[in-house]
Amino acid sequence: MNGICWPDDDFRLKEDELLAKALHGSLKLEPPPWNRNVNRNGNIHHPIPFPHSTSFRICAGCNNVIGHGRVLRCMGAVWHPECLKCRSCNLPIYDYEFLLSGNYAYHKSCYKQNHHPRCDVCHHFIRTDAGGFVEYKVHPFWAQKYCPYHERDGTPRCCSCDRFEPREIQYAALNDGRKLCLECLDSAIMDTTECQPLYLDIQQFFESLNMKLEQKIPLLLVERQALNEAIVGESHGHHYLPETRGLCLSEEQTISTVWQPRIGMGNRVPNMRTEPYKLTRHCEVTAILILYGLPRLLTGSILSHEMMHAWLRLKGYPTLRHDVEEGICQVVAHMWLTSAIASVSRQGKRPPFEKKLAEFFKHQIESDTSPVYGNGFRAGNRAVLKYGLQKTLYHIRSTGSFPN
């Protein structure tokens, strides 16, 4: 809304001329600090000092009669100069540059303090570009607002929830270079022994789907380097993610597994212990490897995915197209997360963040844009919703594809 302050004086013949000049001048002002993602109610204005009034009006600020003296006409009303106050600090605006937002006036500095977006990472006002617009990035799930250059300046992200590390909070540093935010750290599974109850829970989940695994498959939590080395030695499997966080092994290998890491000084894990574990081939699957240090629900979704790979191999499914196998594994991981969210809601004992985190992991699966994992999941999920899991699996075994 445009609002320019005018005097209510005896020179009404000059009003049109003054208005035209004021409007013309306002067009030359520097543009307000607006983001393209924010509405544009604010416009910069300059109250102009004018001669004294000789008529009687009611001040819109104090509701008293304005007698002789200076008077401002602004926003369709008249004001004592001292009654036109900033909505934020409640101090008179007088003749200084100000902004209008809706029906309220602000000092320019007050408006910036209250309305100009701040970065959730560095907490500075987000910079304006050459056109006077504020451009920033927003995380698609967490709505974390940040300066675009944080994507290039080395600011760490949590390896679990993908949020940037704010300046005043130090994320936990894992030994393999990953960072973990403190909320994700609260439920992180740090070693192979600690993961066993979750493994049992997921085995029971598979039984509830009538997909019991008879063979006992070793589960090992490992560092990033050990997982990458295992991928090199694995002839079977599909790996399309930017970073692999789980693996279903079919080959005999010696794996370095994680035992009893502890968070040390400065949120580091200095005294982590690893031990070699010799895998022997007794069936089509020798072990399931999961990256250590991830929250319980993310670990569970990865484990569900890899257990589905194991189930397909142990049940003698033929070699499947990559998007079909990865797609049905993602469907099962998504189903487990849905079950876990319901369990967290029923128990009411877990931190509220954990449920939100599970919803984020589901969102990641649902919004994945990759042809293998993303398109594969969506095709598999449509089939399961339409025909059910068992009929979909029967069709996959018979045809190597999802039913239409």
Side-chain angles (χ1 to χ4, degrees), residues 75 84-88 93 98-100 103-107:
M75 296 183 290
L84 181 61
K85 295 182 179 181
C86 173
R87 172 73 173 174
S88 177
I93 292 176
F98 71 100
L99 282 162
L100 286 179
N103 293 322
Y104 300 111
Y106 294 83
H107 292 115

Side-chain angles (χ1 to χ4, degrees), residues 48-104:
I48 307 169
F50 287 101
H52 296 283
S53 171
T54 58
S55 59
F56 293 91
R57 298 290 178 88
I58 301 299
C59 173
C62 66
N63 293 320
N64 292 324
V65 172
I66 300 176
H68 294 278
R70 295 184 69 220
V71 58
L72 299 176
R73 187 148 66 94
C74 189
M75 296 183 290
V78 290
W79 310 72
H80 292 112
E82 64 273 14
C83 291
L84 181 61
K85 295 182 179 181
C86 173
R87 172 73 173 174
S88 177
C89 69
N90 203 37
L91 294 176
I93 292 176
Y94 291 121
D95 297 331
Y96 297 107
E97 182 179 75
F98 71 100
L99 282 162
L100 286 179
S101 180
N103 293 322
Y104 300 111

Side-chain angles (χ1 to χ4, degrees), residues 312-342:
L312 292 171
R313 295 180 197 175
L314 293 172
K315 294 300 180 181
Y317 275 64
T319 301
L320 298 173
R321 205 172 67 228
H322 296 170
D323 62 312
V324 174
E325 181 165 345
E326 297 298 345
I328 196 63
C329 291
Q330 286 291 73
V331 168
V332 172
H334 190 271
M335 291 172 65
W336 182 82
L337 282 169
T338 301
S339 171
I341 290 172

